[in-house]
Amino acid sequence: MAGNSQRRGAIRKEGTKKGPVVGSGGVRRRGLEGKKATPAAKDRPHHPAAKKAAKAARAAQGRHRKTDETEVVLGRNPVVECLRAGVPATALWVMLGVDADERITESVQRAADSGISILEVQKHDLDRIASNGLHQGLALQVPPYSYTHPDDLLKAAQRDSIPALLVALDNISDPRNLGAIVRSVAAFGGHGVVIPQRRSASVTAVAWRTSAGAAARLPVSRATNLNRTLNSWSDAGLQVVGLDAKGDTELDQLDASGPMVVVVGSEGKGLSRLVRENCDAIVSIPMAGPTESLNASVAAGVVLAEIARQRRRG
């Protein structure tokens, strides 16, 4: 019966491991202690506000992706144009079940001929790569461009039998202009291009495509300080020629027989003040029509063509 202490097992034997325990062991006391402040909604992992903040952070990271990292080209036309231009891609992603057209067929064939890995992936995998979802079932992975050091670029130009011809870009932010200038430099016998490390277009897939493959043959250098690099090249015997619509020397008065570096500014800002002060001459292109200025890449092509003409005649 209840309360019978004489029954077997009613009282723990002496010497056993556990003895009688009095109280709750502090469970009730700890339960009455105050808790920490409730975290904000965005700091709670499973709260909708936290999920929304994480999604916004990922989107912002995608918008501000560094150009030196591996780049992904999206869309059928951009991908096939990159492959035609010989962009050194590492992987081609094709969506499973995609409606194949001549662009996808050509992309797969060119990737196979170039030894590029071809991967068939699910649609959600491509959606994760393309934040806007506009991949059209095709994506191309492009590795970072390998830049040459400005000193190595100068040494390679001085080893050539013809006078050194280098091009420096100041305030050129459009990669299409960069690609077009690289193409012109290669076409007219230039030795290389130097760009600033900051506030300048980089050799991305867009620049590769615009250069029509010239970026694979012509070295591009990156200078941490463009003015310091121009001064160094000037000390090495190169004439620093700036290109500006308001230049005091017309193009047909330029003597291009010696080693030189042509500095090209943007169509809007032109040459920066310090770069302009470091130039030995500021050259302008004479205009026959009412147009006040030319696109930076077009102007660079005109000047390089004139330099090549003078050197052929000389």
Side-chain angles (χ1 to χ4, degrees):
M1 59 180 294
N4 185 1
S5 61
Q6 301 300 320
R7 63 182 177 85
R8 183 179 179 85
I11 298 178
R12 191 183 301 275
K13 294 181 179 179
E14 294 182 2
T16 56
K17 185 175 182 181
K18 292 184 178 179
V21 178
V22 178
S24 63
V27 174
R28 295 176 184 173
R29 178 177 54 80
R30 289 195 297 270
L32 295 174
E33 291 178 354
K35 306 294 184 183
K36 294 182 179 178
T38 303
K42 63 182 180 63
D43 296 329
R44 286 179 258 171
H46 303 292
H47 195 280
K51 295 178 180 179
K52 184 178 180 180
K55 184 178 180 180
R58 289 193 298 268
Q61 184 178 5
R63 288 193 301 269
H64 299 88
R65 180 176 53 189
K66 294 181 179 180
T67 55
D68 286 345
E69 295 178 354
T70 299
E71 185 182 5
V72 178
V73 182
L74 304 168
R76 301 185 184 188
N77 282 333
V79 167
V80 73
E81 288 175 6
C82 283
L83 291 171
R84 288 171 182 170
V87 174
T90 54
L92 176 69
W93 292 313
V94 184
M95 188 179 74
L96 285 168
V98 66
D99 294 332
D101 59 6
E102 66 277 1
R103 293 168 296 179
I104 289 184
T105 303
E106 181 181 352
S107 297
V108 172
Q109 184 62 51
R110 287 183 177 273
D113 294 342
S114 303
I116 299 172
S117 300
I118 302 174
L119 307 173
E120 290 186 312
V121 296
Q122 298 288 347
K123 181 179 182 300
H124 62 80
D125 292 325
L126 281 181
D127 290 341
R128 189 163 56 246
I129 296 171
S131 57
N132 55 12
L134 301 179
H135 49 72
Q136 298 178 312
L138 203 62
L140 187 71
Q141 187 180 46
V142 180
Y145 182 79
S146 179
Y147 292 96
T148 305
H149 193 277
D151 294 343
D152 296 333
L153 185 62
L154 177 62
K155 291 178 182 178
Q158 291 176 329
R159 285 196 297 265
D160 200 345
S161 57
I162 63 175
L165 177 57
L166 299 170
V167 174
L169 306 186
D170 183 31
N171 292 322
I172 301 296
S173 57
D174 190 341
R176 290 169 295 185
N177 275 337
L178 171 58
I181 292 173
V182 168
R183 186 176 183 179
S184 296
V185 174
F188 294 114
H191 295 94
V193 175
V194 60
I195 61 176
Q197 189 168 356
R198 299 177 59 190
R199 296 186 294 275
S200 171
S202 303
V203 184
T204 61
V206 174
W208 266 101
R209 189 169 70 246
T210 311
S211 74
R217 305 185 301 273
L218 189 80
V220 178
S221 173
R222 234 177 181 181
T224 55
N225 188 307
L226 183 60
N227 288 291
R228 189 181 302 131
T229 298
L230 292 176
N231 287 331
S232 174
W233 287 358
S234 178
D235 295 339
L238 273 68
Q239 182 184 10
V240 182
V241 177
L243 181 57
D244 195 284
K246 299 180 181 179
D248 51 9
T249 303
E250 292 194 352
L251 180 58
D252 50 7
Q253 299 173 346
L254 176 66
D255 181 9
S257 59
M260 67 170 48
V261 50
V262 178
V263 188
V264 182
S266 67
E267 182 179 355
K269 297 180 180 179
L271 298 173
S272 60
R273 181 182 59 83
L274 289 177
V275 169
R276 190 183 184 93
E277 291 176 355
N278 289 325
C279 291
D280 300 317
I282 305 295
V283 174
S284 63
I285 300 174
M287 299 291 180
T291 304
E292 295 181 357
S293 63
L294 296 173
N295 173 272
S297 61
V298 175
V302 171
V303 173
L304 291 170
E306 171 62 19
I307 294 174
R309 185 192 68 80
Q310 289 188 26
R311 292 185 173 186
R312 285 196 307 270
R313 294 181 60 183

